[in-house]
């Protein structure tokens, strides 16, 4: 097996993207330096030239996903709710493309400059509308938490527990409202979208001055 990263053309980004593929395909609980080395055709020790430990690997996955969302901060300053909505929609779409990483984004703080840039750019757009920096960050964090929480409920599995029990043979006859909602599409992809839009629009409406 090849052991020298330079000879196989490895970079930190290539290692992280391979890790993201493993997480997407097999779940974050199956990701290890040994497994990643096998995926890339190198010894696990080679990877430590790019990422010093497993924690750095997990932080790198958060960075890779979060930094890929590039908010549009152009336009009139008073249109910040629209820009913020576009950011939330793009963030949700990116998380749903990588459901295995959602628990990491929910539980590991953003630590890198690349990932923080999206937060900085979005908050800066709010400050141009006269919102204080601390309030701007509270708004951005509130929207981001809504997105992450919704995605956790919508798509993510509990790491290490992918075979989670379903609803079984629960009889909805005793729950007429719930039964009617299920008949009307509760739990469908369209329902997830409608719930996300409802919550996001309500939050943004409440955040307006």
């Amino acid at each position: 097996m090849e052991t020298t990263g330079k000879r196989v053309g490895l970079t930190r980004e290539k290692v992280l993207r391979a890790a993201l593929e493993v997480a997407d395909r097999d779940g974050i609980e199956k990701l290890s330096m040994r497994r990643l080395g096998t995926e890339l055709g190198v010894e696990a020790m080679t990877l430590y030239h790019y990422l010093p430990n497993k924690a750095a690997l997990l932080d790198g996955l958060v960075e890779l996903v979060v930094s890929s969302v590039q908010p549009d901060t152009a336009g009139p300053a008073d249109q910040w709710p629209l820009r913020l909505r576009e950011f939330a929609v793009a963030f949700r779409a990116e998380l749903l493309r990588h459901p295995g990483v959602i628990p990491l984004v929910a539980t590991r703080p953003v630590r890198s400059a690349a990932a923080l840039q999206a937060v900085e750019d979005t908050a800066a757009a709010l400050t141009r509308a006269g919102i204080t920096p601390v309030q701007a960050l509270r708004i951005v964090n509130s929207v981001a938490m809504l997105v992450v929480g919704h995605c956790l409920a919508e798509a993510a599995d509990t790491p290490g527990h992918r075979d989670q029990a379903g609803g079984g043979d629960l009889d909805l006859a005793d729950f007429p409202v719930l039964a009617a909602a299920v008949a009307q599409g509760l739990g469908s992809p369209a329902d997830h979208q409608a719930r996300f839009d409802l919550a996001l629009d309500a939050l943004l409406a409440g955040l307006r001055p």
Side-chain angles (χ1 to χ4, degrees):
M1 178 179 288
E2 179 62 77
T3 61
T4 303
K6 287 185 178 180
R7 289 207 292 267
V8 295
L10 286 184
T11 64
R12 180 176 180 273
E13 182 175 357
K14 286 182 179 180
V15 171
L16 287 176
R17 292 204 174 278
L20 187 60
E21 289 181 7
V22 173
D24 286 343
R25 184 181 67 238
D26 303 323
I28 199 69
E29 69 276 8
K30 298 292 182 62
L31 180 62
S32 67
M33 298 300 258
R34 184 184 297 275
R35 176 74 175 273
L36 187 54
T38 300
E39 191 82 8
L40 289 166
V42 300
E43 297 289 347
M45 289 301 297
T46 301
L47 303 180
Y48 291 101
H49 292 292
Y50 306 95
L51 298 156
N53 48 48
K54 177 71 174 293
L57 174 62
L58 298 181
D59 288 341
L61 289 178
V62 173
E63 171 192 326
L64 195 63
V65 171
V66 174
S67 63
S68 67
V69 182
Q70 299 296 325
D72 179 6
T73 57
D78 62 356
Q79 289 187 359
W80 65 264
L82 176 60
R83 302 281 83 81
L84 199 53
R85 192 183 200 288
E86 292 171 349
F87 166 73
V89 169
F91 189 25
R92 174 175 176 256
E94 186 65 19
L95 290 180
L96 292 180
R97 275 193 287 271
H98 306 291
V101 182
I102 297 174
L104 292 182
V105 177
T107 57
R108 302 185 76 87
V110 173
R111 302 178 187 273
S112 72
L116 282 173
Q117 194 61 54
V119 178
E120 171 69 19
D121 292 344
T122 305
L126 273 63
T127 63
R128 289 195 290 273
I131 299 172
T132 65
V134 66
Q135 191 69 358
L137 265 299
R138 286 171 181 165
I139 290 172
V140 173
N141 286 334
S142 294
V143 172
M145 289 172 65
L146 169 68
V147 175
V148 173
H150 191 281
C151 289
L152 276 172
E154 181 175 356
D157 293 314
T158 304
H161 300 275
R162 305 200 96 187
D163 299 325
Q164 300 180 72
D169 298 321
L170 182 64
D171 187 356
L172 295 181
D174 294 330
F175 308 98
V177 174
L178 180 57
V182 170
Q184 295 170 15
L186 181 72
S188 67
D191 177 54
H192 285 304
Q193 182 68 56
R195 278 189 280 170
F196 176 73
D197 290 338
L198 176 65
L200 179 59
D201 290 342
L203 176 60
L204 291 176
L207 291 173
R208 291 177 182 273

